[in-house]
Amino acid sequence: GAVVSQHPSRVICKSGTSVKIECRSLDFQATTMFWYRQFPKQSLMLMATSNEGSKATYEQGVEKDKFLINHASLTLSTLTVTSAHPEDSSFYICSALITAGFNYGYTFGSGTRLTVV
Amino acid sequence: EDQVTQSPEALRLQEGESSSLNCSYTVSGLRGLFWYRQDPGKGPEFLFTLYSAGEEKEKERLKATLTKKESFLHITAPKPEDSATYLCAVTQNTGNQFYFGTGTSLTVIP
């Protein structure tokens, strides 16, 4: 089945530094990928939608200059948290849209636990 | 406003005690309703996709159903390994965005 590989699974960084999270589709081409943020015991909140070769579409309230998304190829999307602060500590998850005829679905990465100290 | 609501927020069951989780939606132009399972510290794992009212799908002890207003995830004779958070999500005909409900945290006690 379609697999999305997300790295790193955990990262600890100092306040003010930037962190890059990668999301790769391993056996399919992902023209559309999504980035989510999840706080403890809460549901996933969509941050942005990225389409290969074009600018990402951000959800309301998400700072595009802080959360840089790049989807330069059909198999790789990256999320860079710039000038991270403790309030950016969260669980970040990527997802890829898979289409196969009429049916379609979404497969998720394993998530990245970001801790900013 | 389009909305996806799950209930209950948390559910504790004895092993073998069947029950149902609910996902209510008010989005217009439903394209698909999805059920996922999420274990702590991991990404969601796909369970089912439902597209039209009346549709049902089964997988082991789980059965998902869909009406025009809600979906149920029925768990028959659950086991401790079924303990997880179950997430419901919907997409609309107008786009590919994927909106999650609040989730139900299920604990199955041996």
Side-chain angles (χ1 to χ4, degrees):
Chain A
V3 175
V4 170
S5 177
Q6 184 173 346
H7 293 282
S9 58
R10 290 178 178 273
V11 58
I12 300 173
C13 71
K14 292 185 178 180
S15 186
T17 62
S18 295
V19 173
K20 179 184 284 188
I21 302 170
E22 291 190 349
C23 189
R24 294 181 183 271
S25 56
L26 296 185
D27 49 4
F28 67 100
Q29 293 183 330
T31 55
T32 303
M33 299 185 91
F34 306 87
W35 287 94
Y36 293 83
R37 183 174 182 176
Q38 187 176 33
F39 290 104
K41 298 186 178 181
Q42 294 189 22
S43 191
L44 283 74
M45 297 298 296
L46 179 65
M47 297 174 65
T49 303
S50 73
N51 292 294
E52 186 267 337
S54 62
K55 290 184 178 181
T57 302
Y58 290 82
E59 294 296 300
Q60 191 172 10
V62 178
E63 298 176 62
K64 60 180 66 176
D65 294 330
K66 178 157 192 69
F67 299 100
L68 300 179
I69 291 173
N70 184 284
H71 194 162
S73 78
L74 288 171
T75 59
L76 175 64
S77 177
T78 61
L79 167 67
T80 301
V81 182
T82 62
S83 186
H85 291 284
E87 57 265 31
D88 298 324
S89 298
S90 189
F91 192 55
Y92 293 88
I93 307 174
C94 67
S95 170
L97 172 64
I98 302 168
T99 57
F102 176 74
N103 295 320
Y104 74 112
Y106 299 78
T107 186
F108 288 81
S110 54
T112 297
R113 171 72 60 194
L114 170 63
T115 303
V116 184
V117 297
Chain B
E1 181 179 318
D2 293 337
Q3 202 167 17
V4 180
T5 305
Q6 289 184 248
S7 61
E9 287 187 13
L11 181 62
R12 288 172 65 90
L13 299 173
Q14 291 289 332
E15 185 172 0
E17 179 186 2
S18 302
S19 187
S20 296
L21 312 182
N22 177 266
C23 173
S24 299
Y25 62 94
T26 57
V27 295
S28 56
L30 180 75
R31 183 179 180 189
L33 185 143
F34 299 75
W35 282 98
Y36 284 82
R37 168 190 172 133
Q38 186 178 26
D39 292 297
K42 296 189 177 180
E45 175 188 339
F46 173 77
L47 293 175
F48 304 107
T49 308
L50 301 167
Y51 294 100
S52 57
E55 188 174 1
E56 298 183 353
K57 289 190 176 175
E58 289 188 64
K59 179 181 179 181
E60 297 179 352
R61 295 179 291 282
L62 301 176
K63 178 180 177 180
T65 62
L66 180 65
T67 71
K68 289 185 178 181
K69 296 182 181 180
E70 59 192 348
S71 176
F72 289 95
L73 182 66
H74 306 278
I75 302 177
T76 302
K79 297 181 178 181
E81 52 262 42
D82 294 324
S83 298
T85 295
Y86 290 84
L87 298 167
C88 163
V90 300
T91 55
Q92 298 173 268
N93 290 324
T94 53
N96 288 325
Q97 283 89 344
F98 200 49
Y99 296 103
F100 280 93
T102 47
T104 293
S105 176
L106 173 67
T107 303
V108 182
I109 305 164

